[in-house]
Amino acid sequence: MKDLSPNIKSSITRSITQTFEQYMTSINWDEDEYDIEEFIKTWREYITTKALWYSKIPDKMKNNPAFHEDLAQRINEVIQRILSEPPSEEQVANIQMLQEKLDIYLNYHCKAEAAYVESVLKERMENQ
C-alpha cells in the first residue's frame, strides 16, 4: 500500500469507516453479534461493487499477499480508531436529554455508536 497515492489511501480509509459503521448499525451495535469475517465480507462486497478506488489499483498489487496484509492492518487500525474516539459533548447532552424524555437508557462507548444511539432515540421520539 506504500505505493498508492494519498487519495487512494484516504479513499480506502473512508470505505473501511463507512462500511464498519454501516455494518455495526445493521447489528444494532451489539458486540455479541459482531463477526469480523462477516464485516470483511460486507467490506469486500462494497469495494468490488461501489468503491471507485478499487478499480484504480493494478491487479498485480491486488494479488500480492503483502497488499492484503497491509489492508488487514489498515482495517484493524481504522476500527480501533473508531472504537476509541469518544462521543462529543453535544452527542452526550442530546442523548441524555432524549433518554430522560423517553425513560430509556442505552449504553454507548464511542462517537460512532453514540450517533447510532442518538438516531434510535430520535426515531423513538418521533414515533411517540
Side-chain angles (χ1 to χ4, degrees):
M1 281 201 6
K2 298 173 205 119
D3 300 334
L4 296 175
S5 74
N7 286 345
I8 290 180
K9 288 179 185 178
S10 178
S11 294
I12 291 171
T13 299
R14 273 194 312 276
S15 70
I16 295 166
T17 302
Q18 181 180 7
T19 307
F20 180 75
E21 290 177 4
Q22 288 172 351
Y23 171 75
M24 291 306 290
T25 295
S26 76
I27 62 168
N28 299 313
W29 279 83
D30 184 340
E31 293 172 27
D32 295 332
E33 293 291 317
Y34 179 74
D35 180 347
I36 184 71
E37 290 176 16
E38 193 62 34
F39 163 67
I40 296 296
K41 183 176 145 188
T42 302
W43 185 70
R44 200 171 280 139
E45 182 179 317
Y46 172 82
I47 65 170
T48 56
T49 61
K50 297 177 184 166
L52 300 175
W53 60 264
Y54 191 70
S55 62
K56 295 177 183 174
I57 296 175
D59 288 340
K60 184 177 180 181
M61 184 179 285
K62 289 179 196 171
N63 294 328
N64 185 335
F67 174 71
H68 293 280
E69 288 174 22
D70 287 348
L71 271 180
Q73 182 176 346
R74 175 68 60 101
I75 288 169
N76 288 334
E77 289 168 359
V78 170
I79 290 173
Q80 189 57 44
R81 180 185 48 78
I82 291 168
L83 296 177
S84 63
E85 186 176 2
S88 70
E89 289 180 22
E90 182 181 350
Q91 284 178 308
V92 172
N94 287 341
I95 290 170
Q96 188 171 359
M97 179 191 67
L98 290 165
Q99 288 184 133
E100 289 172 6
K101 285 182 179 179
L102 292 164
D103 198 27
I104 297 172
Y105 298 92
L106 303 173
N107 291 322
Y108 56 95
H109 301 94
C110 64
K111 186 174 187 169
E113 187 177 17
Y116 167 75
V117 166
E118 190 172 6
S119 71
V120 166
L121 293 170
K122 283 179 179 177
E123 186 177 317
R124 288 189 186 178
M125 279 294 286
E126 291 170 5
N127 292 330
Q128 268 195 340

